[in-house]
């Protein structure tokens, strides 16, 4: 794997660390899961998708608490280790090897989608609409972190200095403990339900701390086996000279819980679009849409793409008929799409009513703009609405 924003684009492969990862990255302490439980996360029967699951640290913890868990990771070795650990612990977890960006599950499949120190490896432009589609309407995205604090802990600082001698590109050093409450990528589509920061000293021996550092991205995932061996020998000498047989390392734990953005803004967006359409203000209507919007051709069938396509279609439509569309109900479905019941009246150019019906417009809204719309016909049609004619909007 190579990421433009990580380690100066140096390649890394978490699969190379799987043995140490499984043995020495045991994960979060009990206090962390107590906070999650208080937040209603990891409950019995909850459907949870754990992204970048690694060896299944979060997945196994949630499964122990009775959740129905699916874990995905890009590294086959990590998934193999996760399956072995789950089997040892008698846990039934659906693990699969898959890049997070390519996961494919039915809409509204999960109550919780979690990512333990892994979201930074994903393409958020791909993941945000995917997460919104896969979460139930009231579901949440949970991002967690567990990072040692080198500015407060001498052993962590000295180990980091050695890592940098072997891998100067490693970007994980020098964490100051200043995690932002809301990530920049989350601001358009998500609201922060809660943000927790906790510090706790975790217990290690020289051996387990050596294993923990070998399993970090800067060493085991990036260096050759020969360089890992040389690093490990130097690290052992460092610890023998500076650390007791058993010691603690101060860590920071973080929890971000995101939910869907308040739908008031979406309602206002759609109401603005309908008013502009009825006023025949094409440009104002297009201003509510993504430049690559996908729009249905309600007269002839098929679809239209982009502002120019929609503009040409409506100009042609309005030359033949006079439609008026009035939203009567706006709701969000389980997949996060916005469903609008619309009373549609269509007149010919002489003013005679040719259609009077109720239709449904189903929207995908991304980045505060309409990304796509499809037309559905409610069934059965309410009394007083007209027949089976094709919707036109």
């Amino acid at each position: 794997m190579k990421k433009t924003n990580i380690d100066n684009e140096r390649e890394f492969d978490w699969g190379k660390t799987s043995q140490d990862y499984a043995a020495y990255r045991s994960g979060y302490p009990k206090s962390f899961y107590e906070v999650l439980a208080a937040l209603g996360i990891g409950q019995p029967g909850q459907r949870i998708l754990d992204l970048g699951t690694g060896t299944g640290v979060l997945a196994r913890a949630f499964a122990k608490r009775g959740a129905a868990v699916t874990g995905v990771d890009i590294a086959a070795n990590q998934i193999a280790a996760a399956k072995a650990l789950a089997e040892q612990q008698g846990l039934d977890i659906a693990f699969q090897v898959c890049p997070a960006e390519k996961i494919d599950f039915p809409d509204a499949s999960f109550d919780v989608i979690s990512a333990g120190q892994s979201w930074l490896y994903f393409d958020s432009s791909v993941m945000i609409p995917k997460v919104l589609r896969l979460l139930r309407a009231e579901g949440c995205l949970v991002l967690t972190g567990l990072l040692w604090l080198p500015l407060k802990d001498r052993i962590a600082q000295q180990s980091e200095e050695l890592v940098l001698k072997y891998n100067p590109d490693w970007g994980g050093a020098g964490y100051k403990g200043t995690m932002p409450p809301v990530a920049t990528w989350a601001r358009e589509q998500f609201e922060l339900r809660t943000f927790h920061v906790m510090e706790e000293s975790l217990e290690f021996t020289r051996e387990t701390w050596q294993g923990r550092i070998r399993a970090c991205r800067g060493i085991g995932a990036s260096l050759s086996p020969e360089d890992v061996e040389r690093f490990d020998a130097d690290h052992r000498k460092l610890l023998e000279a500076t650390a007791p047989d058993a010691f603690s390392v101060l860590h920071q734990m973080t929890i971000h819980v995101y939910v869907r953005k308040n739908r008031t803004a979406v309602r206002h967006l759609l109401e603005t679009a309908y008013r502009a359409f009825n006023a025949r203000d094409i440009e104002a209507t297009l201003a509510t849409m993504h430049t690559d919007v996908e729009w249905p051709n309600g007269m002839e069938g098929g679809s239209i793409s982009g502002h120019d396509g929609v503009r040409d279609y409506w100009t042609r439509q309005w030359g033949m008929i006079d439609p008026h569309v009035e939203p009567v109900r706006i709701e969000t479905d389980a997949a996060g799409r916005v469903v609008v019941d619309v009373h549609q009246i269509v007149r010919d150019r002489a003013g005679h009513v040719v259609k009077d019906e109720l239709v449904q417009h189903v929207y995908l809204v991304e980045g505060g703009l309409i990304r796509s719309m499809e037309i559905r016909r409610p069934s059965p049609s309410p009394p007083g609405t007209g027949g089976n004619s094709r919707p036109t909007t």
Side-chain angles (χ1 to χ4, degrees), residues 294-307:
E294 290 293 322
W295 199 261
N297 184 331
M299 292 197 303
E300 297 106 357
S303 63
I304 299 154
S305 298
H307 282 192

Side-chain angles (χ1 to χ4, degrees), residues 137 260 263 266 330-339:
R260 300 177 191 278
R263 291 302 171 184
V266 174
I330 300 176
E331 293 186 345
T332 302
D333 68 11
R337 292 167 300 189
V338 185
V339 180

Side-chain angles (χ1 to χ4, degrees), residues 290 292-296 303-306 310 370-374:
H290 192 281
D292 297 321
V293 65
E294 290 293 322
W295 199 261
S303 63
I304 299 154
S305 298
V310 174
I370 297 168
R371 187 64 179 82
S372 67
M373 192 269 270
E374 62 177 292

Side-chain angles (χ1 to χ4, degrees), residues 36-221:
L36 283 181
L39 296 173
I41 296 164
Q43 299 298 307
Q46 244 176 8
R47 297 174 298 169
I48 299 178
L49 172 63
D50 189 38
L51 300 172
T53 194
T55 60
V57 170
L58 283 178
R60 287 181 282 115
F62 291 144
K64 288 177 182 177
R65 288 158 175 77
V69 185
T70 300
V72 299
D73 198 280
I74 194 173
N77 289 349
Q78 294 284 76
I79 291 296
K83 288 180 176 179
L85 289 168
E87 185 176 355
Q88 291 171 16
Q89 297 168 15
L91 300 173
D92 183 14
I93 301 173
F95 286 114
Q96 61 177 264
V97 179
C98 182
E101 292 84 355
K102 294 184 178 181
I103 54 174
D104 186 19
F105 298 97
D107 292 357
S109 290
F110 301 101
D111 303 295
V112 176
I113 295 179
S114 60
Q117 291 181 232
S118 58
W119 187 268
L120 76 162
Y121 302 117
F122 307 149
D123 182 343
S124 60
S125 67
V126 175
M127 292 307 301
I128 289 171
K130 193 174 288 282
V131 165
L132 291 172
R133 181 178 67 80
L134 295 180
L135 276 177
R136 295 181 60 197
E138 302 304 319
C140 61
L141 173 64
V142 180
L143 307 186
T144 67
L146 179 65
L147 299 168
W148 60 73
L149 295 168
L151 303 187
K152 295 182 178 182
D153 191 286
R154 181 179 59 87
I155 292 175
Q157 183 181 42
Q158 291 176 334
S159 295
E160 280 194 351
E161 290 170 353
L162 185 61
V163 173
L164 289 171
K165 288 182 180 179
Y166 278 81
N167 184 356
D169 293 318
W170 180 53
Y175 176 58
K176 297 179 180 179
T178 53
M179 183 71 68
V182 180
T184 302
W185 55 262
R187 290 174 180 167
E188 287 192 355
Q189 295 289 352
F190 293 97
E191 290 181 346
L192 183 71
R193 177 193 287 173
T194 188
F195 172 53
H196 290 257
V197 180
M198 302 154 279
E199 291 186 6
E200 187 166 331
S201 293
L202 304 185
E203 300 301 320
F204 292 90
T205 65
R206 290 175 186 162
E207 178 188 356
T208 59
W209 181 244
Q210 275 187 257
R212 174 63 187 89
I213 296 298
R214 283 198 308 271
C216 83
R217 190 180 70 237
I219 298 299

